[in-house]
Structure formats: structure tokens, C-alpha cells
Amino acid sequence: MIASLQPTRSNETMEQTEVAVSSAILRGVSLYSYQNETFQGKMSLEDCIRTSAALGAKGIEIIGEQTFWGWPECGVAQEDVDNWHRLIAKYDCTPVSHDFMLDYKRYKGREMPFDEQVASVKNDIDFGARLGMKFIRALVSIDPAVLVAAADYAQEKGIKILIEVHAPLHFDHPWIIRHAEAFEKSGSDALGFLPDMGMFLFKFPPVWKEKFMRIGVPKAIADYIEKAYEDRVLSEYVILNVAQMGGTGPAIAMAETLRHNAAFEPKRMLDYMPRIHNIHGKFYQMDEDYVEPSIPYDEIVRVLKQGNYQGYICSEYEGNRWIEDAQEPDSVEQVRRQQVMLARLLGESVEPSLNTTVAA
Amino acid sequence: MIASLQPTRSNETMEQTEVAVSSAILRGVSLYSYQNETFQGKMSLEDCIRTSAALGAKGIEIIGEQTFWGWPECGVAQEDVDNWHRLIAKYDCTPVSHDFMLDYKRYKGREMPFDEQVASVKNDIDFGARLGMKFIRALVSIDPAVLVAAADYAQEKGIKILIEVHAPLHFDHPWIIRHAEAFEKSGSDALGFLPDMGMFLFKFPPVWKEKFMRIGVPKAIADYIEKAYEDRVLSEYVILNVAQMGGTGPAIAMAETLRHNAAFEPKRMLDYMPRIHNIHGKFYQMDEDYVEPSIPYDEIVRVLKQGNYQGYICSEYEGNRWIEDAQEPDSVEQVRRQQVMLARLLGESVEPSLNTTVAA
Amino acid sequence: MMDNKMIVEGSLQREDGGFSFLGRLPYYRGLGLSMIEDIIVSVDGEAIPREAIRFCVRGRTYTLDKMETVYDNRWNFGEKARIIALNGGLPAGNHAITFAVRMRVSYLPFVPTTKDTKQLAMAA
Amino acid sequence: MMDNKMIVEGSLQREDGGFSFLGRLPYYRGLGLSMIEDIIVSVDGEAIPREAIRFCVRGRTYTLDKMETVYDNRWNFGEKARIIALNGGLPAGNHAITFAVRMRVSYLPFVPTTKDTKQLAMAA
Ligand SMILES: [Mn+2]
Ligand SMILES: [Mn+2]
């Protein structure tokens, strides 16, 4: 078995490494975070980049086809790419990742052929390179053989392809291990992982609970599920108990979300550090006291430091979809709070703040 | 965080340990394996012990209330306990574990009170001690606080209480980590784990597939599920795909078994070695060539050696329930084959064989 | 498990006011009687009322209601209990007996029911 | 997500032989048109037949059947498409418009449908 699949190095070894190499975890934002505003045209690309930069989050990640209209079917004009570089330079930012979506179900009733899938990935590699990205993000549903077939091309273009490891998957899930084995067998350094911190959910997110109650889950059942999650009860028990409590549709759906977190140990990233190059700082809710109540960022940052992680943590606000039925999300304020939390955890001396208004 | 919850020591360290301390993994049998015969009165306790001993599997594990009629409600007469010790001595065996079942749902409509649960565990500690056992096996559904409350009593009696870690749980599951944390916090060495190797299922067991086909799963769907398991596809996809293939009741049930294996890395035992004192050598089917087609015993033994495991691997045959509708299980032949496999993997020079007939 | 071994072959016999057969618990262990939630018997497709069923082990006989609070006796692993149905009697010849047990298992979040059906002969 | 932003407020207008409104894809990205499996429109509780619906972006208009094989155009993130219903027209006043989209998302094993309903006014 190959090096990065071995059990983790000891703490002792880790600490020695930390002394030898200076650790520098960087802050960034995935513009996914501002989707509620950009969807409605309330924030422009420049607003997104300026806001992130003002918070000291200089790494910019995008979902290519969210930020650039036309991609991939209609292509993107060079002037739009030029504008991107102009904005990145203006705000002293760094392009981090183009998150792509391989639409292998493009043709109704038949899956896209293998070679066309590889060509599609190469197209996204080209686009990532045009944008000056270091990484392109792949979804985990993609056949690892497709990524392996595109790895040399990525290497030539200076791009790494990163599989997003996202709940309900985790680093011990057989499907992820299959990817890891394929990556090791390929011998390529152009293949890696992008863990989404949502997989380390250690409490039931309050915004999930409130949404489930709005769509009809009785409070007693919602309280029970929240408590059962905290007590780490096996999901199958919780689902059956909820049914016995008289829970129907939305209550069962709420209980079934527990199936999505079968493992939540941040330390499991340590085995894979050599292939982890970017991190999604997923969050559902940042409270006024700069705490994400359901994702253990203190422990996450501790583990990343231990593993000598040198890349970005990009804010990825996903509370929007859980609250939008009841209130307009304030994505910028949510991102600001997470950036304050991250800066503190990273030991930065200056607190991030917004000195300019969001819309220019 | 405490020692045994730390990331694994490096391989280098492990190998040094192996040189320093002689590794001796021992072979045993859980009499659960012979349940089809003992249920029908075709094998006596002496038959079970003599057969196991003849195979060189000198460690004997029992489910107390399977082997001893009366336990726990009616107690067990001293002459039955004396008979047990006589048989153990006669066949030069070693009592390993009394697997107990805390029936906390004894009273209809209300759960057994905490103190009564603790008293019940102490009763099983006493019984385990009477039988000369080193361990009693607890089910994972038991509240860890109950076990912590009984730990000192177990210590006095020379007994360790071992939680059975069994699929769908695994060593990274939050519920197991909760137990591990409670054990560490207790500071007691009398609490530990008994991993059941069924959690490392890496292929869909042929006897499961055949049973599902007998109860009506079309071959095309059964083939798809078997292949999807081998390809390690996320269970949710498989379940939905089976529904789209027209699968109903038994086909959905077959697909849902995939939910039970969200992680199957034997190496994850390494983190917990100081608390692992017994192993269930679960198997569903031993082929004529001494291979369990769905559980990777070569990898398992490699990991246990690496972790310097010094306890027993007790055969636990569970194929019986998957074939009994179509044929009479031959538990002794199945156990014999597994013991041959284990002896080979452990590097023993003499092949286990049965020189006597089973029923005396 | 043991589903097809629940009813003991050749065990059908007459009782005062009914009939009986030998039944085993479909489980790899025994259970305290309080955890037997129900025993369901039917003969030739006709269900026997719960009140007309008796459970007998080692010389002690219980109604199903009574069993629910019996904490000092067990139905052991593989033990043949006599299941009595007070249905007024059964004529000689073959009868289809269906026997089901619903048991409350502490570690299961649901209450499983397991069933066996066999043709048994009543002697003339 | 974006469910309640699918129908653009104040966008109801007359068309030759029917009416139209502006609709957005309920998604955090866009989609190639071949992946739009269906667009369902009803007005005041009455469903518009699929054949009577047209989809128009950036000056190009498609039937829903045609869209299924369109590989060179997209419905972009947040883009306002004109959804045309050829129902013969709509009187002035308020109307309850329901708009649903069924989309084939490669990474999902099922095909989700998302729906929005709003009261829109047709000018006199
Ligand atoms: Mn993400
Ligand atoms: Mn076991």
C-alpha cells in the first residue's frame, strides 16, 4: 500500500514537521456563499471579490458556470476572462479553484461516453487554466477512471483536479478509498481531494431544525432528533423511534438526515494530507459570537495545523437554502463572521472587518 | 485527547514493537457457530467443545443464555457450572467470553431503570467469573454510562467488559467514539472493545445474494447490487437505481443492506488496539478452498499482527440463517474450514483437522 | 432465523377442550417470558383467539396476558414449549398449523414477528 | 433552493395567443437546455398543456420537446427566461401562476421537480 494511504504519522512526528516547515493556512471565499445575492443581481462579481478581499480572504473559488454565464455550453468570451483577471489584480486576490460539474447525463436516456467525459474534463482544465486557477473541483459522482485519464493533461496545464469529499461520504467510505487507490495507482500528483467541512457536523444545525419545524415537524420530535444526534445514536434507531412517536413525512425526512453523518472525525484528514489542497469551509450559520454551532472549527483548524496544511480554507455558506423560506439571507454578514472566526483560530492579529459597503 | 484515541503510530514504530514483543494471536470458537445443531439437540456442549478443541481452537466463547438454559432469569445450577469446567479441562480449553444481553426492555412500556441495569450487568460479571471467563461481551445498544458504573466491579472480579463493534457501526462511527470517550474518561482498564469482522465486508456475500434471489429478487437486479457493492457505490444511489429498475420489496431490502457498510477499513482497529481484547471471526461462507469470499481475512490478520494483537479470534459462523431455508447448514465443516484458513494466516505449521466424529 | 424449525414435527396432540403442539422460539438465544409480546396460532386458516392460547414449559402453564409480567421464567434456546389452543378440539387427520411469535428484543428498535406453517397429523 | 424566487414579480404580460412571465432556474448554477426535462405551468389552477409552452432566452425560443436535444444553449444561473403559455390569452387582473421545473442533474440519482406559485397582475 502506498504512502498516503498508510495510518497517520504519530503526533511526535507531526510536531517535528511543524517545526521544520512553517505552517500557513490561508483564508478564501467560494463565491457560492453569495449565491442568494448574485442570483438576484444584488451583488456583481466585483462586489463579491471586493467584499472577500476586504475581509482578508484573498483566495477566490468559484463555481465556473455560476460566475460565468455561458460556461460550458456557450463558452466564455475572452473579455469576461480579462475582466476576471483585472478584478483579481485590483483587489490583490488569488484564483484558487474552478468548481466544475461534469454533466454526464447531458443526453436523455444514455450516459455520456467515456471519451467525451474525459474531453469535457479537459475543457474544464482549460477554463481553469485561463482563469489562473490552481485547482478544479470535481464532484465525487464522477468515475475515478475519467479523472485518471485527464490527469496528465491537468499536469501539463498546471492544474490539480480535486474530488470534493462531502457528507454522506467521508475519508473512510469505500467509495472515497476507491478514488484514493485509483489516484495512487495513477502515480499522478495532479489528482487530489477537497474536503468539505460539512462532513464533520457534530450537532444538528439549528437552521435545519427550525426549517423542519416550519414545514410541520412537531417540536417534541424535532427536540428528540436534535438530542439523538448530539447523543450520536445510530440513525436507524432514530428513524424508527420517530415513526413510533407518530412522525410522518417531514419528521421522517428530518430523522433521515442522520443517515448522512456516519463518521465525523476531522483527524481522518491526516491520512490524506499529501493530496488535500483546498478546503470548503462549509457553514450553515455563524452566530453573533462567531461560533458555528454545528461544525467544530476549533478542532478542524487544530487538525489542519497538525497535518501542516498549507492551502486555503474557502468560506462556503450554505445556510441560505435553509432559511430563505422565512427570511432573506445576509450572506455577506455570515461570511464576515466566519472569516473573523477563522482569523482568530489561525492566530491572526488583525480582526477582519468590512470597511467599505458591499455594493460599490 | 487520550492515548488510545490518537492517530495510529507509524508502521516503523509498529514493526519495532513486533520485534520486541512476541505476537501470538490465538484461535477460538464462539459456540454461536453451532447454533443450528445445538438448537435441534444434534450437538451437546461436550460435542461443541471437543470439536473446537480438535481443530486447535482452544478458546471457547459462549452466549451465556444459549449455552446455559435458565440464564439469567432462573439462574444456573452449580453442577452445570462444574460440568463446564470439567469439559474445559478435559479438552484443554480456555474460557474466553460470556456474551451477555442486557434486556433493558424487560418491562413492557418502560425501560429498565439505570440502577437495575447496572445490577444486571454485575450479575453477568458474576456469571462470567463463575465460568472462568476473561471477558463478557456487551451489545453496543447499551448506554455507556451503565458499563462505566459496572467497571470497578468487573475489575475486582478479573473481568473486562467488551462492547461488540458490529456493522453498521464501525470505529469511526460517532456512537462508538462516544463509548471510547466514556471509557477513557472512566480511567478503567476493565472496559474495551470486541470488533466483529463482519464490519469489514468488502464484497456482497454470495449466500446473501442467493437468499435474496430465492425470495424473489430478479437476477438482473441482484447482479447489479452485487456489482455496485464491489464498486463501492454510495448506498443511496444503489437503492434509488434499484427502484428505477422496477425493484420492489425484497429487491429494495437487498439494496438497503448496503447502508450497513459505510466503512470497511481493518486498519481502523489500530487506533484502538489497547482496548481490543477479543475478536469475532464472523463469516458467512467458507468455500472449499478455505476462502471467505466477502471478508478480507488476509488483510485483517495483517492488521492484527501489525497492532500486536495478543488475544483470540473466535469463529462466529453466521451463514446458517442465510441458507437454512434451502439446506441444512453444516456448521462443523464451516468452522473447520475457517480454522484451517486462520491457522494458515497465522503461520501455524500443522493444518487443523477433525480426527474424531462430531457426536461422541 | 430458525423460522422453519419453530413447529416441532409430529407434535400435534389432543388436550382437554382443544389441541396442542410443540413450539420453539425462532432465535439464537432464549427470552424471559415478559418479552413474548404475542403468540399467534391458526389452524386450517382459522385464527385462535389470544385468550384461548396457553403456553406451557417445564410443567408451568400461562395465559398470554399473564406471561407479560412473568419475570422469573424463560423460554430457553431451542426449548420445546407446549402451545395449547382451547378451540374445542380438532378432528383426526392432517391440519395446517400456523404459529407466529412476536418478541420484544431490547437491542432492536422494532418488534419482530416470525412465523412458521406446517402440516401436522392428529391421530385418530 | 431559490424556490420562492423562480417567478419574477411583476413580469406577467400578453403574448400573441397567450401570456408570458419571467422564470428563473431554482438552482445554484445553470443547466444546458437538454437537461430541462419539463416545465409545468398552470394559471388559476388550470394546467397549460406541455405543447402550448415555449421557453425563450436571449432571443431564442424553443418548444419543450425541442429543448431536450439542445446542446448549444443554456439557462444560466439567475437568468430570467421568458416562459410563454399559448392558452389563447388571459384577462386583465390578478392571476395565480404556478411554475415548476423538472431537471436532470447528473450527480442526483433522482430527477427533482421544484415549484413556485405567485399572484401576478395582468395590466388592463
Ligand atoms: Mn462544498
Ligand atoms: Mn459477533
Side-chain angles (χ1 to χ4, degrees):
Chain A
M1 213 178 269
I2 25 21
S4 74
L5 291 179
Q6 293 295 358
T8 308
R9 287 169 289 165
S10 73
N11 273 355
E12 292 71 21
T13 318
M14 281 296 172
E15 275 152 27
Q16 285 161 17
T17 314
E18 277 184 82
V19 173
V21 185
S22 89
S23 167
I25 299 176
L26 302 162
R27 290 187 289 114
V29 174
S30 166
L31 303 191
Y32 176 95
S33 301
Y34 307 123
Q35 63 179 266
N36 188 67
E37 287 76 4
T38 51
F39 183 93
Q40 297 177 85
K42 293 179 179 176
M43 283 176 77
S44 67
L45 177 59
E46 179 157 7
D47 294 334
C48 294
I49 292 176
R50 191 187 56 255
T51 302
S52 305
L55 292 167
K58 300 292 189 88
I60 305 296
E61 173 164 2
I62 63 165
I63 294 177
E65 60 178 279
Q66 179 186 87
T67 296
F68 290 91
W69 275 23
W71 191 258
E73 283 84 352
C74 310
V76 171
Q78 189 55 38
E79 64 188 80
D80 291 336
V81 174
D82 293 342
N83 182 54
W84 160 264
H85 285 293
R86 186 182 63 76
L87 294 171
I88 290 286
K90 179 174 175 185
Y91 296 103
D92 188 29
C93 286
T94 301
V96 176
S97 179
H98 153 49
D99 299 1
F100 75 102
M101 326 280 295
L102 172 54
D103 279 320
Y104 50 81
K105 292 185 188 166
R106 176 176 308 279
Y107 310 110
K108 191 166 184 171
R110 66 183 174 92
E111 192 163 289
M112 185 183 280
F114 184 87
D115 289 347
E116 193 178 338
Q117 290 195 38
V118 176
S120 177
V121 173
K122 289 181 179 173
N123 195 34
D124 278 298
I125 290 168
D126 285 340
F127 188 48
R130 281 173 79 197
L131 297 175
M133 299 293 187
K134 295 185 174 82
F135 313 117
I136 65 172
R137 186 287 321 258
L139 287 177
V140 82
S141 50
I142 297 174
D143 180 350
V146 169
L147 302 183
V148 168
D152 285 350
Y153 189 79
Q155 184 89 37
E156 281 171 36
K157 299 282 179 174
I159 293 276
K160 290 187 199 296
I161 308 173
L162 308 182
I163 281 278
E164 181 168 356
V165 181
H166 188 291
L169 294 165
H170 51 81
F171 278 113
D172 258 20
H173 192 284
W175 179 253
I176 297 300
I177 292 167
R178 179 178 161 183
H179 274 85
E181 288 172 357
F183 292 177
E184 293 302 324
K185 203 174 154 207
S186 79
S188 174
D189 284 336
L191 302 172
F193 293 111
L194 191 171
D196 180 300
M197 298 301 99
M199 75 182 139
F200 302 130
L201 211 68
F202 78 124
K203 288 194 181 176
F204 201 88
V207 292
W208 293 19
K209 182 184 178 191
E210 289 153 16
K211 170 75 188 280
F212 276 112
M213 287 173 64
R214 284 196 299 278
I215 63 172
V217 179
K219 181 165 187 306
I221 290 181
D223 287 346
Y224 163 71
I225 293 171
E226 182 181 40
K227 175 74 164 48
Y229 192 79
E230 209 168 318
D231 288 346
R232 315 182 206 174
V233 181
L234 186 63
S235 56
E236 310 292 327
Y237 285 78
V238 180
I239 294 164
L240 279 150
N241 285 342
V242 166
Q244 275 169 13
M245 290 168 83
T248 54
I252 299 296
M254 182 176 173
E256 283 181 334
T257 64
L258 269 59
R259 283 219 178 94
H260 277 205
N261 285 73
F264 49 68
E265 285 293 286
K267 71 180 180 195
R268 290 305 180 213
M269 291 190 288
L270 291 172
D271 290 11
Y272 293 93
M273 291 315 299
R275 288 204 183 268
I276 294 177
H277 302 296
N278 189 20
I279 300 267
H280 275 180
K282 166 73 57 65
F283 66 106
Y284 295 107
Q285 165 180 353
M286 286 300 307
D287 291 336
E288 281 181 23
D289 57 357
Y290 304 108
V291 170
E292 212 308 347
S294 60
I295 300 175
Y297 273 99
D298 47 355
E299 170 71 3
I300 286 167
V301 169
R302 197 192 66 74
V303 167
L304 291 175
K305 283 179 179 168
Q306 185 189 345
N308 196 30
Y309 177 65
Q310 305 264 324
Y312 285 89
I313 300 175
C314 291
S315 286
E316 197 187 51
Y317 176 48
E318 198 168 290
N320 32 43
R321 68 170 71 170
W322 291 94
I323 64 170
E324 63 181 2
D325 62 310
Q327 65 186 95
E328 192 65 1
D330 186 350
S331 310
V332 171
E333 173 61 8
Q334 287 289 302
V335 169
R336 181 190 73 80
R337 292 179 188 176
Q338 199 201 28
Q339 290 294 330
V340 169
M341 176 197 74
L342 289 173
R344 289 180 183 176
L345 290 172
L346 296 173
E348 296 182 26
S349 51
V350 181
E351 188 115 305
S353 71
L354 286 171
N355 299 315
T356 58
T357 54
V358 172
Chain B
M1 212 178 269
I2 27 15
S4 74
L5 290 177
Q6 293 295 359
T8 309
R9 287 168 290 167
S10 72
N11 273 356
E12 290 72 19
T13 316
M14 281 296 171
E15 275 151 27
Q16 285 161 17
T17 313
E18 277 183 83
V19 173
V21 185
S22 90
S23 166
I25 299 176
L26 302 163
R27 291 187 288 114
V29 174
S30 167
L31 304 191
Y32 176 95
S33 301
Y34 307 123
Q35 64 180 266
N36 188 68
E37 286 77 3
T38 51
F39 182 93
Q40 297 177 85
K42 293 179 179 175
M43 282 177 78
S44 66
L45 177 59
E46 179 157 8
D47 294 334
C48 294
I49 292 176
R50 190 186 57 253
T51 303
S52 305
L55 292 167
K58 300 291 189 88
I60 306 295
E61 175 165 0
I62 63 166
I63 294 177
E65 59 177 282
Q66 180 185 86
T67 296
F68 290 91
W69 274 23
W71 190 257
E73 283 84 354
C74 310
V76 172
Q78 189 54 39
E79 65 187 78
D80 290 337
V81 174
D82 292 343
N83 183 52
W84 160 264
H85 285 293
R86 187 181 62 78
L87 294 172
I88 289 287
K90 178 174 177 186
Y91 296 102
D92 188 28
C93 286
T94 300
V96 175
S97 179
H98 154 47
D99 300 3
F100 75 101
M101 326 280 296
L102 173 53
D103 278 320
Y104 50 82
K105 291 184 188 166
R106 176 175 310 278
Y107 310 110
K108 191 164 185 174
R110 66 183 174 95
E111 193 164 290
M112 187 183 280
F114 184 88
D115 290 347
E116 192 178 338
Q117 290 195 39
V118 175
S120 178
V121 172
K122 288 181 180 173
N123 195 33
D124 277 300
I125 290 169
D126 286 339
F127 189 48
R130 281 174 78 196
L131 296 175
M133 300 292 188
K134 296 185 173 82
F135 313 117
I136 64 171
R137 186 285 322 259
L139 287 177
V140 82
S141 50
I142 297 175
D143 180 350
V146 170
L147 303 183
V148 168
D152 285 350
Y153 189 78
Q155 184 89 37
E156 281 170 35
K157 299 282 178 174
I159 293 276
K160 289 185 199 296
I161 309 173
L162 309 181
I163 281 278
E164 181 168 356
V165 182
H166 188 291
L169 294 165
H170 51 80
F171 278 113
D172 258 19
H173 192 285
W175 179 254
I176 297 300
I177 292 166
R178 179 179 162 184
H179 274 85
E181 288 172 359
F183 292 177
E184 293 302 327
K185 203 174 154 208
S186 79
S188 174
D189 283 336
L191 302 171
F193 293 111
L194 191 171
D196 180 300
M197 299 300 99
M199 75 182 140
F200 302 130
L201 210 68
F202 79 124
K203 288 195 180 175
F204 200 88
V207 292
W208 293 18
K209 183 184 178 192
E210 289 152 17
K211 170 75 188 281
F212 276 112
M213 287 173 64
R214 284 196 300 277
I215 63 172
V217 179
K219 182 166 187 304
I221 289 181
D223 287 345
Y224 163 72
I225 293 172
E226 181 181 41
K227 176 74 164 47
Y229 192 79
E230 208 168 319
D231 287 347
R232 314 183 206 174
V233 181
L234 186 63
S235 55
E236 310 292 326
Y237 284 79
V238 179
I239 294 164
L240 280 150
N241 285 342
V242 166
Q244 276 170 12
M245 290 168 84
T248 54
I252 299 296
M254 182 178 172
E256 283 180 336
T257 64
L258 270 59
R259 283 220 176 93
H260 278 205
N261 284 72
F264 49 70
E265 285 293 287
K267 71 178 181 198
R268 289 306 179 213
M269 291 190 287
L270 291 172
D271 291 13
Y272 293 93
M273 290 315 300
R275 287 205 185 267
I276 293 177
H277 302 295
N278 189 20
I279 301 268
H280 275 180
K282 168 72 56 65
F283 66 105
Y284 295 106
Q285 164 180 355
M286 287 300 307
D287 291 335
E288 280 181 25
D289 57 358
Y290 304 107
V291 170
E292 210 312 342
S294 60
I295 300 175
Y297 273 99
D298 48 355
E299 171 71 3
I300 285 167
V301 169
R302 197 192 66 72
V303 167
L304 291 175
K305 283 180 180 169
Q306 185 189 346
N308 197 31
Y309 177 65
Q310 306 264 325
Y312 285 90
I313 300 176
C314 291
S315 287
E316 196 187 52
Y317 175 47
E318 196 168 294
N320 32 43
R321 67 170 73 171
W322 291 93
I323 64 169
E324 63 181 1
D325 63 308
Q327 66 187 92
E328 192 66 2
D330 186 351
S331 310
V332 171
E333 173 60 9
Q334 288 289 302
V335 169
R336 182 188 74 79
R337 292 179 188 176
Q338 200 202 28
Q339 289 293 331
V340 169
M341 176 196 75
L342 289 172
R344 288 179 181 176
L345 290 172
L346 295 173
E348 294 182 25
S349 52
V350 180
E351 189 114 308
S353 71
L354 286 173
N355 298 316
T356 57
T357 54
V358 172
Chain C
M1 82 214 76
M2 320 290 188
D3 310 21
N4 58 9
K5 299 177 187 75
M6 291 174 68
I7 298 175
V8 176
E9 302 274 6
S11 65
L12 189 62
Q13 66 180 43
R14 290 200 171 74
E15 301 286 341
D16 278 354
F19 68 93
S20 75
F21 61 90
L22 294 173
R24 289 181 287 211
L25 189 69
Y27 202 7
Y28 64 78
R29 60 162 176 147
L31 269 184
L33 297 189
S34 65
M35 292 169 276
I36 304 301
E37 293 225 328
D38 208 3
I39 288 175
I40 302 130
V41 177
S42 71
V43 55
D44 301 324
E46 192 148 336
I48 308 290
R50 174 176 160 96
E51 315 80 63
I53 294 174
R54 300 289 179 275
F55 174 90
C56 175
V57 271
R58 284 164 271 115
R60 289 161 76 180
T61 301
Y62 307 92
T63 64
L64 299 187
D65 283 355
K66 174 64 192 163
M67 271 174 86
E68 294 200 342
T69 53
V70 172
Y71 307 117
D72 66 350
N73 204 357
R74 293 174 54 75
W75 191 357
N76 288 300
F77 170 73
E79 186 174 26
K80 295 170 184 171
R82 189 150 288 279
I83 311 298
I84 303 165
L86 301 175
N87 73 330
L90 215 55
N94 279 330
H95 297 281
I97 305 289
T98 294
F99 169 45
V101 174
R102 192 166 84 233
M103 48 193 180
R104 194 167 67 250
V105 173
S106 292
Y107 58 83
L108 293 179
F110 52 91
V111 180
T113 301
T114 309
K115 188 174 79 170
D116 185 19
T117 297
K118 282 201 178 71
Q119 292 286 332
L120 296 188
M122 179 68 82
Chain D
M1 82 213 79
M2 320 289 189
D3 309 23
N4 58 9
K5 300 178 187 75
M6 291 174 68
I7 297 175
V8 177
E9 302 274 4
S11 67
L12 189 63
Q13 68 179 42
R14 291 201 169 75
E15 301 286 340
D16 279 356
F19 67 93
S20 76
F21 61 91
L22 293 173
R24 290 182 287 211
L25 190 68
Y27 202 8
Y28 64 79
R29 61 163 177 146
L31 270 183
L33 297 188
S34 65
M35 290 169 279
I36 305 301
E37 292 226 328
D38 208 3
I39 288 175
I40 302 127
V41 177
S42 71
V43 55
D44 302 324
E46 191 147 339
I48 308 290
R50 175 177 159 95
E51 316 79 64
I53 294 174
R54 300 291 179 273
F55 174 90
C56 176
V57 272
R58 283 164 273 113
R60 289 161 78 180
T61 301
Y62 307 91
T63 64
L64 300 187
D65 283 354
K66 174 64 191 163
M67 270 173 87
E68 294 199 342
T69 53
V70 172
Y71 307 116
D72 66 350
N73 204 357
R74 292 175 53 74
W75 190 355
N76 288 299
F77 171 73
E79 186 173 28
K80 295 170 183 173
R82 191 150 284 281
I83 312 297
I84 303 164
L86 302 174
N87 73 330
L90 215 54
N94 279 329
H95 297 280
I97 305 289
T98 294
F99 169 44
V101 175
R102 191 166 84 232
M103 48 193 180
R104 193 168 67 249
V105 172
S106 292
Y107 58 83
L108 293 179
F110 52 92
V111 180
T113 301
T114 309
K115 188 174 81 169
D116 185 19
T117 297
K118 282 202 178 71
Q119 293 286 333
L120 297 187
M122 180 67 84

